[in-house]
Amino acid sequence: MKGMTLRHVTAALFFLLPGALCVAQSPPGGSAPQDSSRQFGLVFDVQVAPHFSSINAFADGGYSISLGFGLNFSPMFQMSIQVYTGREEFPAGSAKPADGWLPLGGASLEGTFFLASGPTVRPYGTAGYGLYTIAGGNGYNGGGPHFEAGVEWDLSRYFSIRGGVQYTIISFHDPTGEAFQALGFEPFTAHFLGAAIRLAFYPSVLP
């Protein structure tokens, strides 16, 4: 997964989303499913999001993979908890004391607002706040908000796919290592900008 870059997800969006659009617009045996059929219920999802990152200047920063679970409150709003893993690159000299490719982990709470109710293809906006750890010996603890905007395609009542742009701000406030291992640590803020593709499943098991 180290070689995953923004262009890989861009290529995935290029090939997958037009097909999803065709499926959503022309389902077999009837009219397109309506998002209004989803009222209160569970939602599970998986997302891949490679990104550029900036401490001093934007460069290829790595990727995150998240698993999410939450509630779809209405056709217009849902909330979920996202659990992250991935990798992050810190160029030498951009942060102290660690640099290079380091493991990323974390979790966030996010809310998603859909800007239409009815169409199978609809824009959305997401806002959330997460806590993150960059590990790998000496690393960093931090947290901050993230934002996402894009378009969701409803493939059926039970599945949807999203493609969007994601922006995350993480303020790293302390090192993960012991004090003697983290000499010279200075708090810093990283900005992540990238693409995101997410597959969601609505099991419809709640009344």
Side-chain angles (χ1 to χ4, degrees):
M1 297 294 287
K2 179 177 177 179
M4 183 180 294
T5 63
L6 193 62
R7 67 176 178 270
H8 290 109
V9 163
T10 302
L13 292 173
F14 179 80
F15 287 106
L16 293 178
L17 295 184
L21 178 59
C22 292
V23 172
Q25 290 181 333
S26 303
S31 60
Q34 298 299 302
D35 69 339
S36 59
S37 65
R38 298 195 194 119
Q39 299 297 325
F40 184 78
L42 296 174
V43 57
F44 301 93
D45 64 69
V46 58
Q47 176 174 277
V48 178
H51 57 264
F52 296 112
S53 65
S54 172
I55 300 174
N56 300 317
F58 275 99
D60 182 15
Y63 66 90
S64 68
I65 299 173
S66 67
L67 296 176
F69 56 94
L71 289 174
N72 188 74
F73 289 94
S74 75
M76 302 289 288
F77 178 67
Q78 64 184 226
M79 292 193 71
S80 65
I81 295 174
Q82 301 291 320
V83 180
Y84 296 90
T85 186
R87 290 173 63 88
E88 186 59 39
E89 183 178 18
F90 290 98
S94 64
K96 301 177 181 179
D99 58 59
W101 284 95
L102 303 174
L104 166 70
S108 71
L109 177 66
E110 67 176 37
T112 298
F113 298 88
F114 297 97
L115 304 184
S117 175
T120 58
V121 179
R122 54 195 177 141
Y124 70 89
T126 295
Y129 190 93
L131 299 176
Y132 307 91
T133 296
I134 302 292
N138 293 323
Y140 311 103
N141 295 315
H146 69 268
F147 309 93
E148 185 179 325
V151 177
E152 177 170 287
W153 280 260
D154 288 331
L155 305 180
S156 72
R157 180 178 178 181
Y158 303 103
F159 292 96
S160 69
I161 189 169
R162 294 184 194 174
V165 177
Q166 191 176 80
Y167 179 60
T168 304
I169 305 168
I170 304 178
S171 297
F172 291 98
H173 46 72
D174 63 75
T176 60
E178 300 293 335
F180 72 91
Q181 297 176 316
L183 294 176
F185 171 78
E186 298 176 1
F188 63 95
T189 299
H191 302 262
F192 301 160
L193 176 64
I197 184 168
R198 179 181 306 198
L199 178 65
F201 170 53
Y202 300 82
S204 190
V205 297
L206 295 181

